[in-house]
């Protein structure tokens, strides 16, 4: 367990600082009774769902046992250690697309906003959220595009590395059935889903980084600027600088019991083993080999009714903080505005004309790929100009910024010339290999037949034959049909 025993940081783990207070008029046993009733009545309640799927229950139970063994949770004492006691409902969430070994398929999700009774307060309602200590997502994504190389990593189970004071642990209790017996557990670490968790994580990381010696100053600055919750990023053009950041950041954060894993980069030597490709950069698909970002735009099923609810849900599924597909999204939002003006219910189908317009827009939505880096050679950049274009109509207003990268004279042209020369050499080598194959290999087949005196059955009229062509792939050779046979004076078949 990681707890900083200092006056400044100790307050981060105290619920008193977050404004937790007892507001419920019910005693503890009534709250526990209400919890049991609510969780068994819910359609997706834990007991109902797990009883139907035995394998899911086994996996779910394994999560609790692992956390118990690692000190993340502990058995709750009969008598609470603090003044506040709260039981959190929970359920398993299955990620169907989690096919890699680096992604957890089943997650234990707690509803810290659940109320034990209609007039009672949830634990989240009793907390101050705290100020936002995260850098802007847009800033990080922009910086990710400014250099030719990129390095990413995750803090492993970041929230679960922060300890909770013993007097506050009973505010994070939960029930779970192990081996047929209902057990009472409580978190000894900070659970994910608590309103103040992002603040506590950011404040703890910030405090720890401020304690680092000056020799880590450059790495500390990069961590402060490019750490978003538990995601770490470093940009640069020099491989040695990125390797140095990887080593120093691991030392800094592991000293605070924040292990780093899942190192990924477009530079293979900086990656961990068996990392998947494509990966993701803060929600965007990143193809590390092509070094491109992809903006996903999954279409809505054709048989789904077109209602205000389905339109809004479809628009909300497009994740595009950089605004790459905002011109297309503007039309979709305009359709939603027209649907609202029809003044129909959320589940009522829109008019036929608006439905056709929506289906046409929905069907033309495609995934968009853009280069991840705006330049591949930052060391030859002399300057970057930003050109801003704006326009407006009675339907929408827009702004677009274009980055014009100025390189040193001749550097880009020389690179293009070198690529052109390489393409010519590869094309010539391919053509030479193909000609040699036809000249030597095909000819050797004919010679081997003569030498070995093999009897080869001649094609007959009406047979379908394969005609040798210029293509290297035999599957691309054309087929022909024998119409007549031409024999020599010795009655040997020469041509078909």
């Amino acid at each position: 367990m990681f707890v900083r025993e200092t006056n400044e940081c100790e307050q981060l783990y105290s619920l008193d600082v977050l404004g937790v207070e007892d507001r419920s008029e019910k005693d503890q046993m009534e709250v526990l009774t209400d919890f049991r009733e609510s969780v068994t009545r819910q359609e997706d309640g834990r007991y109902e769902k797990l009883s139907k799927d035995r394998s899911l229950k086994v996996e779910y139970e394994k999560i609790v046992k692992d956390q118990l063994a690692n000190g993340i949770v502990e058995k709750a004492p009969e008598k609470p250690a603090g003044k506040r006691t709260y039981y959190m409902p929970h359920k398993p969430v299955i990620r169907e697309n989690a096919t890699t070994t680096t992604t957890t398929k089943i997650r234990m999700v707690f509803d810290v906003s659940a109320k034990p009774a209609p007039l009672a307060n949830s634990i989240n309602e009793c907390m101050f959220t705290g100020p936002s200590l995260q850098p802007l997502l847009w800033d990080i994504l922009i910086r990710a595009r400014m250099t030719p190389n990129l390095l990413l990593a995750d803090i492993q189970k970041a929230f679960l590395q922060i300890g909770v004071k013993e007097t506050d642990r009973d505010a994070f209790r939960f029930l779970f059935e192990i081996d047929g017996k209902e057990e009472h557990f409580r978190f000894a670490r900070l659970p994910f889903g608590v309103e103040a968790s992002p603040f506590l994580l950011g404040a703890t990381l910030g405090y720890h980084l401020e304690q680092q010696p000056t020799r880590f100053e450059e790495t500390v600055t990069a961590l402060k600027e490019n750490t978003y919750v538990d995601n770490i990023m470093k940009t640069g053009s020099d491989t040695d600088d990125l390797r140095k950041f990887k080593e120093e950041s691991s030392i800094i954060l592991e000293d605070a019991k924040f292990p780093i894993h899942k190192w990924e980069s477009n530079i293979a030597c900086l990656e961990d083993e068996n990392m998947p490709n494509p990966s993701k950069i803060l929600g965007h698909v990143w193809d590390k080999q092509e070094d491109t970002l992809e903006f996903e735009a999954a279409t809505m099923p054709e048989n789904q009714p077109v209602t205000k609810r389905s339109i809004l849900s479809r628009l909300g599924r497009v994740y595009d903080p950089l605004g790459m597909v905002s011109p297309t999204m503007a039309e979709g939002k305009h359709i939603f505005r027209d649907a609202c003006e029809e003044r129909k219910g959320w589940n009522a189908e829109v008019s036929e004309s608006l439905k056709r317009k929506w289906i046409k827009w929905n069907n033309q939505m495609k995934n968009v790929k853009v280069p991840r880096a705006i330049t591949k050679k930052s060391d030859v950049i002399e300057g970057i100009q930003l050109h801003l274009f704006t326009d407006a109509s009675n339907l929408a207003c827009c702004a677009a910024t274009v980055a014009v990268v100025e390189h040193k004279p001749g550097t880009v042209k020389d690179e293009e010339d070198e690529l052109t020369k390489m393409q010519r050499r590869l094309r010539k080598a391919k053509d030479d290999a193909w000609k040699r194959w036809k000249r030597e290999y095909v000819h050797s087949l004919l010679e081997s037949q003569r030498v070995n005196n093999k009897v080869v059955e001649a094609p007959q009229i009406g047979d379908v034959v394969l005609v040798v062509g210029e293509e290297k792939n035999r599957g691309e050779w054309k087929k022909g049909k024998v119409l007549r046979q031409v024999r020599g004076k010795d009655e040997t078949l020469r041509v078909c």
Side-chain angles (χ1 to χ4, degrees):
M1 182 182 67
F2 168 58
V3 177
R4 285 290 177 185
E5 297 298 333
T6 59
N7 293 333
E8 295 89 350
C9 201
E10 186 180 47
Q11 293 181 349
L12 297 176
Y13 312 123
S14 174
L15 298 181
D16 293 322
V17 177
L18 304 177
V20 176
E21 55 185 77
D22 294 326
R23 299 179 183 176
S24 176
E25 297 178 356
K26 297 189 175 185
D27 61 25
Q28 175 55 35
M29 292 309 299
E30 289 177 329
V31 172
L32 180 58
T33 301
D34 287 341
F35 165 77
R36 286 176 173 171
E37 291 178 354
S38 64
V39 76
T40 53
R41 290 174 181 173
Q42 290 177 0
E43 183 178 355
D44 58 348
R46 177 171 67 90
Y47 297 109
E48 180 181 353
K49 187 169 185 178
L50 294 182
S51 62
K52 292 182 179 180
D53 191 337
R54 180 62 186 172
S55 61
L56 177 60
K57 178 172 173 50
V58 172
E59 290 295 323
Y60 203 48
E61 186 174 313
K62 183 177 181 296
I63 295 175
V64 178
K65 289 182 177 180
D66 289 344
Q67 291 185 346
L68 189 63
N70 294 325
I72 296 174
V73 301
E74 60 187 11
K75 288 190 176 182
E78 293 185 6
K79 183 179 180 181
K83 298 179 180 179
R84 310 168 188 88
T85 304
Y86 176 81
Y87 282 82
M88 302 180 294
H90 56 91
K91 65 178 181 179
V93 173
I94 303 174
R95 301 182 64 182
E96 298 295 344
N97 59 344
T99 56
T100 65
T101 57
T102 61
T103 306
T104 304
K105 186 174 182 179
I106 300 177
R107 293 181 181 271
M108 193 175 189
V109 177
F110 290 86
D111 185 4
V112 196
S113 297
K115 297 183 178 182
L119 299 180
N121 294 304
S122 68
I123 196 69
N124 273 345
E125 290 177 324
C126 298
M127 284 188 173
F128 287 126
T129 305
S132 176
L133 302 178
Q134 309 295 335
L136 294 178
L137 181 66
W138 190 86
D139 290 351
I140 296 178
L141 289 173
I142 286 294
R143 283 195 286 271
R145 304 195 65 201
M146 299 302 292
T147 58
N149 299 325
L150 184 64
L151 181 64
L152 301 178
D154 283 350
I155 301 176
Q156 187 175 9
K157 299 179 180 178
F159 294 106
L160 297 179
Q161 307 301 338
I162 300 178
V164 178
K165 289 177 63 175
E166 186 173 0
T167 54
D168 294 325
R169 293 176 184 177
D170 290 302
F172 305 114
R173 287 193 177 204
F174 66 96
L175 297 172
F176 195 83
E177 184 181 287
I178 293 184
D179 300 327
K181 181 182 178 182
E182 184 180 80
E183 299 281 359
H184 294 239
F185 296 97
R186 66 180 186 179
F187 270 90
R189 310 277 182 86
L190 183 66
F192 179 77
V194 175
E195 189 79 10
S197 291
F199 161 72
L200 290 174
L201 176 61
T204 304
L205 287 173
Y207 178 84
H208 179 66
L209 294 177
E210 290 173 359
Q211 313 306 312
Q212 300 308 307
T214 55
R215 63 189 178 94
F216 291 145
E217 183 177 358
E218 185 177 343
T219 300
V220 167
T221 301
L223 286 171
K224 287 182 177 180
E225 291 180 349
N226 296 316
T227 300
Y228 190 81
V229 190
D230 58 349
N231 298 281
I232 297 173
M233 184 188 79
K234 179 68 171 74
T235 60
S237 56
D238 187 77
T239 304
D240 292 335
D241 289 343
L242 295 177
R243 185 178 289 108
K244 177 184 176 183
F245 171 83
K246 180 179 179 180
E247 295 172 354
E248 292 186 351
S249 60
S250 298
I251 294 173
I252 293 171
L253 293 180
E254 287 180 8
D255 178 56
K257 307 304 180 187
F258 286 113
I260 305 178
H261 68 154
K262 297 183 182 179
W263 287 102
E264 298 184 79
S265 176
N266 57 326
I267 303 175
C269 62
L270 297 178
E271 276 207 315
D272 285 349
E273 294 183 359
N274 301 321
M275 294 306 297
N277 186 57
S279 180
K280 284 197 173 183
I281 302 177
L282 296 176
H284 288 310
V285 177
W286 178 32
D287 189 318
K288 291 173 285 188
Q289 293 181 354
E290 297 181 2
D291 204 12
T292 58
L293 293 179
E294 184 173 1
F295 299 83
E296 297 178 300
T299 57
M300 190 173 71
E302 294 182 0
N303 57 350
Q304 182 177 350
V306 181
T307 64
K308 282 198 302 183
R309 187 183 302 278
S310 64
I311 292 175
L312 185 60
S313 174
R314 170 70 182 84
L315 294 174
R317 290 171 59 189
V318 179
Y319 176 70
D320 181 29
L322 291 177
M324 290 293 182
V325 294
S326 57
T328 303
M329 293 299 297
E331 184 179 355
K333 293 176 181 178
H334 178 62
I335 296 175
F336 176 71
R337 189 189 71 175
D338 291 343
C340 293
E341 290 179 351
E342 291 185 347
R343 300 189 179 280
K344 294 184 178 180
W346 279 96
N347 296 321
E349 289 206 42
V350 300
S351 62
E352 284 298 322
S353 60
L354 200 59
K355 181 179 179 180
R356 289 193 298 269
K357 193 175 181 181
W358 169 256
I359 292 176
K360 180 181 178 181
W361 178 86
N362 182 66
N363 291 339
Q364 58 87 38
M365 287 292 289
K366 305 293 182 184
N367 290 4
V368 176
K369 273 190 177 183
V370 297
R372 195 270 310 165
I374 63 174
T375 179
K376 294 297 183 182
K377 288 191 174 183
S378 59
D379 56 331
V380 296
I381 294 178
E382 288 194 336
I384 299 178
Q385 297 180 2
L386 297 180
H387 296 254
L388 179 64
F389 301 89
T390 61
D391 198 0
S393 68
N394 59 344
L395 298 179
C397 58
C398 66
T401 304
V402 179
V404 179
V405 182
E406 298 179 3
H407 296 82
K408 294 179 181 178
T411 53
V412 177
K413 184 177 184 300
D414 291 343
E415 182 181 1
E416 291 177 351
D417 289 345
E418 192 63 28
L419 288 174
T420 304
K421 293 177 182 177
M422 184 180 296
Q423 288 176 345
R424 290 199 201 100
R425 289 196 296 268
L426 290 174
R427 190 181 299 111
K428 185 177 184 302
K430 179 181 177 181
D431 293 340
D432 291 344
W434 174 236
K435 291 177 181 178
R436 184 176 177 182
W437 182 85
K438 288 198 301 181
R439 183 176 65 251
E440 299 179 7
Y441 181 70
V442 176
H443 184 70
S444 67
L445 292 178
L446 299 175
E447 289 295 326
S448 63
Q449 291 177 0
R450 296 192 186 99
V451 172
N452 297 327
N453 294 322
K454 289 185 178 180
V455 179
V456 180
E457 184 179 353
Q460 303 298 316
I461 296 176
D463 288 351
V464 177
V465 296
L466 195 63
V467 181
V468 177
E470 296 291 333
E471 297 80 8
K472 184 176 181 180
N473 185 358
R474 292 188 179 187
E476 297 178 359
W477 287 357
K478 295 181 179 180
K479 294 179 181 179
K481 187 175 182 180
V482 179
L483 299 179
R484 65 190 183 93
Q485 296 177 329
V486 179
R487 297 181 180 274
K489 293 180 180 180
D490 57 353
E491 293 299 321
T492 301
L493 183 63
R494 302 295 184 187
V495 183
C496 292

